[in-house]
């Protein structure tokens, strides 16, 4: 059952080949055996079973309207950054280890309403800060393709869970590549939508102007099904876009004949040979489908990492001030006074990388440095956006590698934060500009997946999913499952 | 630019974080690494470039002035480290 | 001033006034702003700064802020931007306050302040910006601990910042009163100082007369009565002069006024100068208003106190004192105008409103809005006095009857109680003749020059007619009768 795509599972459920409860129990059993990957922080079997029973009741009961929910009975997992009412929502941090969210994120509500089953909450880098999932209070996640390697981050648990078929799809968030980089490392498809396309309500903030939720799934088609549910205007999020959600699935089969795909030399510096080869293989596939390939200049791209590592820490330094040990979350033992309460609670409960980013952010915003750092970065950001706007006047989508190389070994970069930051060299610019970007699996190398990235114009998720789906109709890389899977 | 110990300590104070004496040099070192990384953008000519605080060049939508939130004090304080008589309790604050 | 001139020092005062806007819900959440609720019962997830929550701006704050801006002739910020002001304090749940720094809604402006001396002084405003209020710390509740009530957190504030242009406590208070009158007139705030709806921070410095530079200032925070404001400033000025004359230096600091001890003292909690690290609030977008919005606000604004006062003087010929008093609050001004219009005599109405109505209201501890006599009723009563139907004395008895609820229609009451004034000479002449005949001795004295006795005769006639006689007419008739009578 877990080998089926979401669309296939839906068909089986509707035909009655198996029930939602059977499907859910099947995945719950897999979760048990998949524990070694450490992909989950919390599993929610009771909730999953009760949700599955509700879906079945709606389906079987005569007289009731047939189940027309788009994801009725599909078992999924939520990144532990989305608040889930009555369930611990930790953001991968000791700070929120005891935080039982009193409300649902809008994304969680929407998926619940669509009939999706919640299997649990996936592991992640603490407060979404990291590119390897090694910054989690709950320990590193292992890459199901090679347990000695990282799954990527920060949505590492979500990516590993989908790759290992522990859930049909999962939710993730992407601030600088946190959906796409783990999707690439784990051989799955993930999309970071346009900033504002998916509500941020109930999604624990890292960097508010960059954070965006999106799905991680096995294929572009599954991602389209998930995104159709997750996307949409939310009056509780002021930065949410009030534009109707298009029919992503309906657009999957559009012909891409004549579609203009741009390649960009700035996105090919420092990539390894395998990644480069897979990129040009993909170009051939797209050419065979009638797409027109051309070169595009994005000269400001190299400024994306510097701008990001000012803006994201600046916003995070304020976003994480609410964790003060007063109203929720971790409080240190026996504080001597208020300052001690603040400092010790925060120092004890935040991990090293989180503290580092808070310090960088406070510095970049402080008197005397604001103009040279924060303000400058926000100006550079506009130049990056302008570069994309110009590029999309020439081409419909941009095709680039998602990462410079495949998944690296656990511990390999933990002592070199800068090397870790450079993991996001191709993914960060789209967060700064707010444009949508998707990662899909390409030809693996040495048993490890590689991923390619498609970037598109504002609100043009449909085209990205369409292009990826057309590629996946010609290739089967997305159907590969990791060795871990082999019985 | 490189940050001094003094600056790091001041920033830690603003952030309400302790940096143990035996870690301060590591923290200074890694902050300087990050600053070296971001230094690159100083070369960009941003004369007359407006800042971009948000990817959307959109404007704020407003909420009608209605009371929509019920009293959920009980639920919220269930997860509080220390709440008594409906109040959140902290060590004595001297004004 | 004279005293200061003698001492060789001059005082420079600027005020920051925090005005709570009288909205139903908070500025960034749908929680109630009602005063006096159970602690934390009106602090929703947004007010508590819980993980993943987002602010959405209350539409009602903008017309109020714009009305104030128009009321002080300021430039309206057609694009206003919210910023985060970062600092840790237990009553500030998010660790930052959402406020407006670089692009406030109200820019500049000025108010004409009528000083007790009768001189009008113009005080310029720097700005007025929207922000959220903080919660309250309660120090008396627990042994050695502080309790935090966040009901007030998120209540909308308009912070009104003056230029440092006031030179005495008296001027500062007169300015604060003028602002108070304006915000209540414009329905921006209920202005209730006892509930903290109007709080003043006073920036005070002194310098030797003739010195070009400002002295070091202190900020005395959260003074919530005009009386305390005057005392706090007077104390602070005296303290600073004493230090400087003793060769000391003023420390720039935040101080608190203690009304019990009538002194200011440094606030320990804010000792260290904080770097607030302002930056644009990424969870909110710029608020853009257009000319039509401003025009609509302008169209619904009432006539402002200063203009109204001038009109009362020029149009109704009121004394400066009456005009100032009757324009001091909008309900009072409206009551007076309605009564005057109905009475067709504004000076008569001014007199009755000030003396009879306010006397009664004060005696019973009521507001003008709680008057048991409507403005129209009072106007009808005054019209009957003016047209001679009743005497002023009878008018007062009808006023009492209206207040007691024994009368509703003035005219009906006059008729049913036979209170119509006697003013025909056929009825009055025989009475007058009889009284003159009964008091021949006094009549003799009158005629021999003791004309003061006229009052005696008039009084006797009034007594005889039960007060219903028209006093002016009686006066005339008695005079004629006495003058004509043969010796």
């Amino acid at each position: 059952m877990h080998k089926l795509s979401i669309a296939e599972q839906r068909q089986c459920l509707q035909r009655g080949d198996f029930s939602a409860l059977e499907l859910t129990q099947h995945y719950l059993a897999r979760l048990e055996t998949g524990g070694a990957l450490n992909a989950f922080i919390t599993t929610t079997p009771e909730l999953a079973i009760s949700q599955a029973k509700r879906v079945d009741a709606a389906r079987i009961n005569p007289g009731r309207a047939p189940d027309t929910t788009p994801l009725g009975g599909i078992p999924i997992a939520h990144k532990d950054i989305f608040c889930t009412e009555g369930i611990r929502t930790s953001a991968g941090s000791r700070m929120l280890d005891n935080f039982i969210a009193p409300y649902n994120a809008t994304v969680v509500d929407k998926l619940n309403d669509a009939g999706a089953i919640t299997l649990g909450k996936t592991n992640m880098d603490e407060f979404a800060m990291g590119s390897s999932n090694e910054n989690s209070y709950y320990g590193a996640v292992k890459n199901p393709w090679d347990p000695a390697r990282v799954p990527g981050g920060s949505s590492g648990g979500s990516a590993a869970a989908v790759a290992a078929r522990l859930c049909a799809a999962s939710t993730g968030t992407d601030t600088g590549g946190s959906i796409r980089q783990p999707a690439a490392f784990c051989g799955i498809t993930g999309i970071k939508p346009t900033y504002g396309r998916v509500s941020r309500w109930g999604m624990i903030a890292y960097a508010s102007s960059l954070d965006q939720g999106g799905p991680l799934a096995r294929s572009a088609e599954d991602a389209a099904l998930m995104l159709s549910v997750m996307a949409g205007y939310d009056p509780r999020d002021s930065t949410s876009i009030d534009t109707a959600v298009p029919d992503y699935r309906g657009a999957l089969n559009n012909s891409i004949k004549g579609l203009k795909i741009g390649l960009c030399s700035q996105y090919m510096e420092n990539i390894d040979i395998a990644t480069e080869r897979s990129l040009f293989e993909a170009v051939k596939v797209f050419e065979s489908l009638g797409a027109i390939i051309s070169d595009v200049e994005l000269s400001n791209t190299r400024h994306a990492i510097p701008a990001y590592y000012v803006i994201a820490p600046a916003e995070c330094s304020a976003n994480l001030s609410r964790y003060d040990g007063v109203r929720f979350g971790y409080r240190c033992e026996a504080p001597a006074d208020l300052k001690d309460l603040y400092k010790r609670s925060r120092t004890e409960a935040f991990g090293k990388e989180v503290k580092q980013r808070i310090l960088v952010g406070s510095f970049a915003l402080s008197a005397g440095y604001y103009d040279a750092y924060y303000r400058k970065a926000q100006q550079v950001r506009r130049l990056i956006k302008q570069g994309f706007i110009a590029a999309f006047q020439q081409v419909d989508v941009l095709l680039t590698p998602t990462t410079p190389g495949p998944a690296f070994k656990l511990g390999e970069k933990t002592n070199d934060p800068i090397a870790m930051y450079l993991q996001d060299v191709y993914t960060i610019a789209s967060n700064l500009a707010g444009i949508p970007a998707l990662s899909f699996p390409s030809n693996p190398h040495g048993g490890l997946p590689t991923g390619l990235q498609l970037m598109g114009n504002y609100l043009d998720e449909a085209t990205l999913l369409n292009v990826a789906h057309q590629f996946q109709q010609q290739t089967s890389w997305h159907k590969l499952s990791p060795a871990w899977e082999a019985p | 630019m490189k940050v001094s110990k003094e600056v790091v300590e001041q920033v830690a104070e603003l952030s309400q974080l302790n940096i143990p004496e035996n870690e301060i040099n590591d923290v200074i070192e890694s902050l300087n690494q990050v600053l070296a990384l971001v230094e690159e953008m100083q070369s960009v000519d941003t004369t007359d470039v407006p800042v971009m605080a948000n990817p959307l060049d959109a404007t704020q939508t407003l909420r009608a002035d209605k009371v929509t939130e019920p009293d959920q004090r009980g639920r919220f304080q269930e997860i509080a480290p220390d709440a008594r008589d409906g109040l959140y309790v902290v060590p004595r604050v001297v004004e | 001033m004279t005293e200061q001139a003698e001492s060789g020092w001059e005082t420079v005062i600027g005020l920051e006034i925090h005005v709570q806007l009288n909205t139903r819900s908070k500025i960034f959440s749908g929680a109630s702003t009602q005063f006096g609720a159970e602690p934390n019962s009106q602090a929703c997830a947004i007010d508590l700064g819980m993980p993943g929550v987002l602010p959405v701006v209350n539409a009602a704050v903008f017309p109020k802020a714009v009305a104030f801006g128009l009321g002080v002739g300021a430039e309206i910020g057609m694009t206003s931007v919210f910023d985060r002001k970062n600092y840790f304090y237990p009553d500030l749940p998010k660790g930052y306050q959402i406020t407006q720094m670089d692009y406030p809604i109200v820019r500049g402006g000025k108010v004409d302040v009528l000083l007790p001396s009768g001189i009008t002084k113009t005080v310029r405003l720097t700005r007025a910006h929207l922000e959220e209020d903080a919660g309250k710390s309660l120090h008396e509740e627990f042994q050695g601990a502080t309790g935090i009530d966040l009901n007030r957190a998120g209540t909308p504030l308009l912070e009104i910042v003056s230029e440092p242009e006031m030179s005495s406590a008296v001027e500062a208070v007169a300015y604060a009163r003028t602002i108070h009158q304006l915000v209540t007139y414009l329905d921006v705030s209920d202005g209730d100082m006892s509930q903290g709806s109007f709080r003043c921070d006073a920036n005070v410095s002194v310098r030797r007369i003739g010195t070009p530079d400002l002295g070091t200032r202190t900020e005395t925070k959260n003074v919530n009565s005009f009386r305390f404001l005057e005392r706090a400033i007077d104390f602070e000025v005296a303290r600073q002069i004493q230090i400087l004359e003793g060769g000391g230096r003023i420390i720039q600091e935040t101080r608190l006024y203690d009304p019990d001890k009538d002194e200011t003292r440094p606030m320990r909690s804010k000792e260290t100068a904080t770097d607030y690290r302002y930056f644009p609030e990424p969870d909110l977008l710029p608020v853009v208003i257009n000319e039509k919005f401003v025009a609509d606000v302008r169209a619904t604004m009432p006539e402002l106190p200063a203009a109204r006062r001038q009109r009362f003087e020029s149009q109704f010929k009121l004394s400066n004192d009456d005009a100032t008093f009757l324009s001091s609050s909008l309900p009072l001004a409206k009551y007076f105008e309605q009564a005057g219009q109905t009475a067709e005599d504004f000076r008569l109405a001014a007199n009755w409103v000030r003396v009879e109505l306010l006397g009664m209201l004060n005696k019973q501890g009521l507001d003008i809005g709680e008057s048991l006599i409507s403005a129209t009723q009072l106007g009808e009563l005054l019209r009957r006095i003016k047209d001679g139907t009743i005497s002023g004395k009878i008018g007062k008895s009808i006023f009492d009857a209206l207040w007691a609820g024994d009368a509703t229609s003035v005219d009906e009451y006059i008729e049913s109680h036979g209170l119509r004034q006697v003013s025909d000479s056929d009825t009055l002449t025989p009475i007058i003749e009889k009284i003159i005949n009964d008091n021949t001795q006094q009549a003799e004295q009158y005629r021999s020059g003791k004309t003061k006795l006229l009052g005696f005769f008039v009084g006797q006639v009034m007594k005889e007619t039960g007060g219903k006689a028209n006093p002016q007419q009686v006066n005339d008739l008695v005079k004629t009768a006495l003058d004509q009578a043969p010796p």
Side-chain angles (χ1 to χ4, degrees), chain A residues 196-218:
Chain A
R197 179 77 285 189
V198 171
S199 168
R200 293 187 296 117
W201 170 266
M203 193 177 103
I204 296 177
Y206 157 26
S208 308
S209 78
L210 302 161
D211 295 342
Q212 182 61 200
L216 294 97
R218 287 170 44 187

mmCIF file of all heavy atoms in Angstrom, chain A residues 196-218:
data_model
loop_
_atom_site.group_PDB
_atom_site.id
_atom_site.type_symbol
_atom_site.label_atom_id
_atom_site.label_comp_id
_atom_site.label_asym_id
_atom_site.label_seq_id
_atom_site.Cartn_x
_atom_site.Cartn_y
_atom_site.Cartn_z
ATOM 1 N N GLY A 196 3.594 33.841 0.746
ATOM 2 C CA GLY A 196 2.209 34.308 0.891
ATOM 3 C C GLY A 196 1.168 33.377 0.301
ATOM 4 O O GLY A 196 -0.019 33.564 0.503
ATOM 5 N N ARG A 197 1.625 32.348 -0.423
ATOM 6 C CA ARG A 197 0.673 31.413 -1.038
ATOM 7 C C ARG A 197 0.063 30.469 0.010
ATOM 8 O O ARG A 197 -1.106 30.113 -0.043
ATOM 9 C CB ARG A 197 1.400 30.611 -2.139
ATOM 10 C CG ARG A 197 0.589 29.580 -2.876
ATOM 11 C CD ARG A 197 -0.349 30.158 -3.924
ATOM 12 N NE ARG A 197 -1.527 30.792 -3.366
ATOM 13 C CZ ARG A 197 -2.565 31.206 -4.077
ATOM 14 N NH1 ARG A 197 -2.560 31.082 -5.390
ATOM 15 N NH2 ARG A 197 -3.599 31.761 -3.507
ATOM 16 N N VAL A 198 0.906 30.076 0.981
ATOM 17 C CA VAL A 198 0.456 29.188 2.064
ATOM 18 C C VAL A 198 0.495 29.985 3.370
ATOM 19 O O VAL A 198 1.481 30.669 3.667
ATOM 20 C CB VAL A 198 1.362 27.940 2.156
ATOM 21 C CG1 VAL A 198 1.060 27.124 3.405
ATOM 22 C CG2 VAL A 198 1.219 27.078 0.901
ATOM 23 N N SER A 199 -0.567 29.895 4.128
ATOM 24 C CA SER A 199 -0.669 30.675 5.377
ATOM 25 C C SER A 199 0.436 30.310 6.367
ATOM 26 O O SER A 199 0.768 29.140 6.536
ATOM 27 C CB SER A 199 -2.017 30.419 6.036
ATOM 28 O OG SER A 199 -2.018 30.940 7.353
ATOM 29 N N ARG A 200 0.947 31.310 7.032
ATOM 30 C CA ARG A 200 1.945 31.086 8.076
ATOM 31 C C ARG A 200 1.318 31.036 9.465
ATOM 32 O O ARG A 200 2.028 30.905 10.466
ATOM 33 C CB ARG A 200 3.017 32.184 8.031
ATOM 34 C CG ARG A 200 3.882 32.140 6.779
ATOM 35 C CD ARG A 200 5.033 33.138 6.845
ATOM 36 N NE ARG A 200 4.555 34.500 6.898
ATOM 37 C CZ ARG A 200 4.755 35.331 7.925
ATOM 38 N NH1 ARG A 200 5.435 34.941 8.989
ATOM 39 N NH2 ARG A 200 4.288 36.564 7.896
ATOM 40 N N TRP A 201 -0.004 31.169 9.564
ATOM 41 C CA TRP A 201 -0.624 31.127 10.890
ATOM 42 C C TRP A 201 -0.373 29.758 11.543
ATOM 43 O O TRP A 201 -0.648 28.705 10.953
ATOM 44 C CB TRP A 201 -2.137 31.388 10.792
ATOM 45 C CG TRP A 201 -2.829 31.115 12.102
ATOM 46 C CD1 TRP A 201 -3.430 29.960 12.483
ATOM 47 C CD2 TRP A 201 -2.931 32.014 13.226
ATOM 48 N NE1 TRP A 201 -3.914 30.080 13.769
ATOM 49 C CE2 TRP A 201 -3.624 31.311 14.251
ATOM 50 C CE3 TRP A 201 -2.506 33.323 13.462
ATOM 51 C CZ2 TRP A 201 -3.905 31.903 15.489
ATOM 52 C CZ3 TRP A 201 -2.791 33.897 14.698
ATOM 53 C CH2 TRP A 201 -3.486 33.187 15.685
ATOM 54 N N GLY A 202 0.161 29.790 12.730
ATOM 55 C CA GLY A 202 0.398 28.551 13.466
ATOM 56 C C GLY A 202 1.669 27.829 13.049
ATOM 57 O O GLY A 202 1.953 26.733 13.518
ATOM 58 N N MET A 203 2.419 28.453 12.153
ATOM 59 C CA MET A 203 3.694 27.897 11.715
ATOM 60 C C MET A 203 4.771 28.667 12.483
ATOM 61 O O MET A 203 4.888 29.877 12.335
ATOM 62 C CB MET A 203 3.812 28.157 10.207
ATOM 63 C CG MET A 203 4.884 27.423 9.495
ATOM 64 S SD MET A 203 4.768 27.840 7.716
ATOM 65 C CE MET A 203 6.123 29.003 7.599
ATOM 66 N N ILE A 204 5.501 27.983 13.327
ATOM 67 C CA ILE A 204 6.423 28.685 14.225
ATOM 68 C C ILE A 204 7.479 29.424 13.413
ATOM 69 O O ILE A 204 8.127 28.840 12.547
ATOM 70 C CB ILE A 204 7.035 27.702 15.235
ATOM 71 C CG1 ILE A 204 5.904 27.152 16.135
ATOM 72 C CG2 ILE A 204 8.118 28.371 16.068
ATOM 73 C CD1 ILE A 204 6.334 26.113 17.130
ATOM 74 N N ALA A 205 7.625 30.710 13.702
ATOM 75 C CA ALA A 205 8.423 31.574 12.843
ATOM 76 C C ALA A 205 9.919 31.403 13.096
ATOM 77 O O ALA A 205 10.371 31.322 14.232
ATOM 78 C CB ALA A 205 8.026 33.025 13.072
ATOM 79 N N TYR A 206 10.659 31.360 11.998
ATOM 80 C CA TYR A 206 12.112 31.501 12.052
ATOM 81 C C TYR A 206 12.416 32.899 11.510
ATOM 82 O O TYR A 206 12.774 33.810 12.264
ATOM 83 C CB TYR A 206 12.759 30.362 11.258
ATOM 84 C CG TYR A 206 14.164 30.596 10.734
ATOM 85 C CD1 TYR A 206 15.045 31.495 11.351
ATOM 86 C CD2 TYR A 206 14.628 29.888 9.634
ATOM 87 C CE1 TYR A 206 16.330 31.698 10.845
ATOM 88 C CE2 TYR A 206 15.917 30.080 9.138
ATOM 89 C CZ TYR A 206 16.752 30.999 9.743
ATOM 90 O OH TYR A 206 18.007 31.191 9.243
ATOM 91 N N ALA A 207 12.226 33.091 10.193
ATOM 92 C CA ALA A 207 12.426 34.414 9.607
ATOM 93 C C ALA A 207 11.170 34.754 8.811
ATOM 94 O O ALA A 207 10.939 34.221 7.728
ATOM 95 C CB ALA A 207 13.645 34.421 8.710
ATOM 96 N N SER A 208 10.366 35.634 9.388
ATOM 97 C CA SER A 208 8.995 35.836 8.919
ATOM 98 C C SER A 208 8.872 36.223 7.452
ATOM 99 O O SER A 208 7.908 35.846 6.797
ATOM 100 C CB SER A 208 8.325 36.909 9.771
ATOM 101 O OG SER A 208 8.461 36.604 11.125
ATOM 102 N N SER A 209 9.812 37.001 6.928
ATOM 103 C CA SER A 209 9.654 37.460 5.549
ATOM 104 C C SER A 209 10.198 36.443 4.545
ATOM 105 O O SER A 209 10.163 36.672 3.342
ATOM 106 C CB SER A 209 10.325 38.823 5.343
ATOM 107 O OG SER A 209 11.726 38.686 5.223
ATOM 108 N N LEU A 210 10.707 35.327 5.047
ATOM 109 C CA LEU A 210 11.282 34.290 4.179
ATOM 110 C C LEU A 210 10.570 32.948 4.321
ATOM 111 O O LEU A 210 10.541 32.147 3.386
ATOM 112 C CB LEU A 210 12.769 34.099 4.521
ATOM 113 C CG LEU A 210 13.660 35.339 4.393
ATOM 114 C CD1 LEU A 210 14.953 35.151 5.179
ATOM 115 C CD2 LEU A 210 13.979 35.624 2.941
ATOM 116 N N ASP A 211 10.021 32.680 5.500
ATOM 117 C CA ASP A 211 9.388 31.386 5.786
ATOM 118 C C ASP A 211 8.207 31.125 4.858
ATOM 119 O O ASP A 211 7.365 32.007 4.672
ATOM 120 C CB ASP A 211 8.809 31.368 7.218
ATOM 121 C CG ASP A 211 9.858 31.467 8.312
ATOM 122 O OD1 ASP A 211 11.034 31.211 8.033
ATOM 123 O OD2 ASP A 211 9.463 31.793 9.460
ATOM 124 N N GLN A 212 8.136 29.933 4.345
ATOM 125 C CA GLN A 212 6.972 29.551 3.566
ATOM 126 C C GLN A 212 6.764 28.046 3.683
ATOM 127 O O GLN A 212 7.709 27.266 3.570
ATOM 128 C CB GLN A 212 7.142 29.979 2.104
ATOM 129 C CG GLN A 212 5.980 29.679 1.185
ATOM 130 C CD GLN A 212 4.663 30.342 1.565
ATOM 131 O OE1 GLN A 212 3.613 29.912 1.137
ATOM 132 N NE2 GLN A 212 4.702 31.385 2.363
ATOM 133 N N GLY A 213 5.526 27.664 3.945
ATOM 134 C CA GLY A 213 5.198 26.249 4.060
ATOM 135 C C GLY A 213 4.959 25.631 2.693
ATOM 136 O O GLY A 213 4.602 26.334 1.741
ATOM 137 N N GLY A 214 5.165 24.340 2.621
ATOM 138 C CA GLY A 214 4.904 23.635 1.364
ATOM 139 C C GLY A 214 4.966 22.138 1.588
ATOM 140 O O GLY A 214 5.331 21.680 2.670
ATOM 141 N N PRO A 215 4.604 21.359 0.565
ATOM 142 C CA PRO A 215 4.594 19.898 0.717
ATOM 143 C C PRO A 215 5.898 19.231 0.295
ATOM 144 O O PRO A 215 6.619 19.730 -0.563
ATOM 145 C CB PRO A 215 3.471 19.475 -0.235
ATOM 146 C CG PRO A 215 3.522 20.502 -1.328
ATOM 147 C CD PRO A 215 4.011 21.793 -0.703
ATOM 148 N N LEU A 216 6.176 18.089 0.906
ATOM 149 C CA LEU A 216 7.192 17.168 0.420
ATOM 150 C C LEU A 216 6.451 15.894 0.051
ATOM 151 O O LEU A 216 5.665 15.376 0.856
ATOM 152 C CB LEU A 216 8.255 16.881 1.487
ATOM 153 C CG LEU A 216 9.127 18.079 1.873
ATOM 154 C CD1 LEU A 216 8.609 18.741 3.132
ATOM 155 C CD2 LEU A 216 10.583 17.662 2.053
ATOM 156 N N ALA A 217 6.685 15.411 -1.163
ATOM 157 C CA ALA A 217 5.906 14.269 -1.655
ATOM 158 C C ALA A 217 6.772 13.442 -2.588
ATOM 159 O O ALA A 217 7.909 13.791 -2.873
ATOM 160 C CB ALA A 217 4.657 14.764 -2.366
ATOM 161 N N ARG A 218 6.199 12.354 -3.043
ATOM 162 C CA ARG A 218 7.012 11.471 -3.875
ATOM 163 C C ARG A 218 7.093 11.949 -5.312
ATOM 164 O O ARG A 218 8.038 11.647 -6.025
ATOM 165 C CB ARG A 218 6.437 10.062 -3.798
ATOM 166 C CG ARG A 218 6.734 9.437 -2.447
ATOM 167 C CD ARG A 218 5.987 8.154 -2.270
ATOM 168 N NE ARG A 218 6.061 7.343 -3.482
ATOM 169 C CZ ARG A 218 5.379 6.225 -3.638
ATOM 170 N NH1 ARG A 218 4.595 5.784 -2.679
ATOM 171 N NH2 ARG A 218 5.481 5.554 -4.759
#
